[in-house]
Amino acid sequence: LAKNLKMIDGEPEIRREFFNELMFHVKPETKKLHNSYQRALKQRNRSLKKRLTRTEVSLWSKKLSALGLELSLEQYNFFKIFREHTLESMEKNVSNGSFNYLNKLSLNFTKGWERSKKLEESLFESLERDMALGFTSNGPHRMDFTFTVENRKASSNLSRGQIKILILLVFLSSIKLLKDLIDTEILLMIDDL
């Protein structure tokens, strides 16, 4: 949990890991898709590092694009469920008179590449840059979600204590999401409250 306490103001990897684990619990079939995408991503990155020809890299780009579109759609569909549960939970806390600083909270999704472009087009356009960097800079592996309060990033609009409370409320709403969507018992262990 310690690294997850940086979920709001920390690196996108922290949010992605939290989001993916939650999605895999609710939709286990997405884990297999995610793993297939990760294998294709490793192959494309390996071909970029080895500086293979554009033709060779483009073979992995096509595979990555096909899997990436499918994965991104799953991510976005699950994000809508996650956002609805999270914001509904926050509204209840605010309407009770608690946590008024979360009054205008919203949750935004970034798919990992430019919104107006298809993934295959984005991979093609970033090929030169990716070859120079030695890794793939666009795709659902760069997906992120951010919290905003009054149209400003929560990390710059809330105090450190308020951010920690927001993160704990997100965890609690995620437990409710799991209980609502899958038939399972959930055990919450709290140390040093």
Side-chain angles (χ1 to χ4, degrees):
L1 181 67
K3 74 174 178 178
N4 288 324
L5 287 175
K6 302 290 284 169
M7 183 171 33
I8 303 294
D9 56 352
E11 298 298 314
E13 290 82 16
I14 298 169
R15 289 182 292 280
R16 263 193 301 276
E17 186 179 324
F18 168 79
F19 179 86
N20 284 334
E21 288 300 319
L22 194 59
M23 181 174 70
F24 298 157
H25 275 84
V26 174
K27 299 177 83 179
E29 67 280 3
T30 59
K31 175 91 169 147
K32 185 176 178 184
L33 174 60
H34 181 267
N35 289 343
S36 296
Y37 176 83
Q38 288 296 322
R39 282 191 296 276
L41 178 64
K42 283 180 185 174
Q43 290 295 336
R44 186 177 193 267
N45 287 345
R46 194 171 294 138
S47 64
L48 290 168
K49 284 179 187 159
K50 289 183 176 180
R51 301 193 181 278
L52 298 181
T53 67
R54 286 176 166 272
T55 306
E56 292 169 309
V57 174
S58 70
L59 292 172
W60 286 112
S61 296
K62 286 182 189 214
K63 176 89 170 160
L64 191 67
S65 174
L67 290 166
L69 284 174
E70 195 177 344
L71 178 59
S72 184
L73 183 60
E74 291 289 348
Q75 288 173 330
Y76 184 65
N77 287 335
F78 182 70
F79 172 78
K80 290 188 289 187
I81 295 166
F82 171 70
R83 179 178 56 199
E84 180 184 334
H85 269 75
T86 303
L87 295 179
E88 186 180 294
S89 176
M90 298 301 165
E91 277 180 35
K92 285 180 184 174
N93 285 307
V94 170
S95 68
N96 290 344
S98 305
F99 315 116
N100 288 330
Y101 54 86
L102 298 175
N103 192 19
K104 294 190 178 174
L105 182 76
S106 67
L107 200 47
N108 306 300
F109 180 83
T110 308
K111 65 182 183 176
W113 71 93
E114 194 175 318
R115 189 176 290 236
S116 64
K117 294 183 180 174
K118 293 181 179 178
L119 179 55
E120 189 172 6
E121 177 186 0
S122 185
L123 290 171
F124 177 76
E125 288 180 4
S126 67
L127 184 57
E128 287 296 321
R129 185 171 142 223
D130 289 354
M131 289 181 102
L133 293 170
F135 64 86
T136 305
S137 58
N138 295 308
H141 61 285
R142 302 291 233 186
M143 178 281 286
D144 196 7
F145 64 92
T146 53
F147 289 89
T148 59
V149 176
E150 296 182 7
N151 296 320
R152 288 178 44 213
K153 279 192 169 185
S155 59
S156 60
N157 205 22
L158 300 176
S159 72
R160 289 171 59 120
Q162 290 171 332
I163 288 172
K164 285 183 181 176
I165 289 172
L166 172 58
I167 292 168
L168 293 172
L169 290 172
V170 169
F171 276 103
L172 293 174
S173 71
S174 298
I175 290 169
K176 183 179 180 331
L177 182 146
L178 288 171
K179 286 181 114 179
D180 288 350
L181 298 179
I182 57 176
D183 186 25
T184 187
E185 287 295 317
I186 297 171
L187 177 63
L188 184 61
M189 295 182 355
I190 302 175
D191 184 26
D192 290 335
L193 186 61

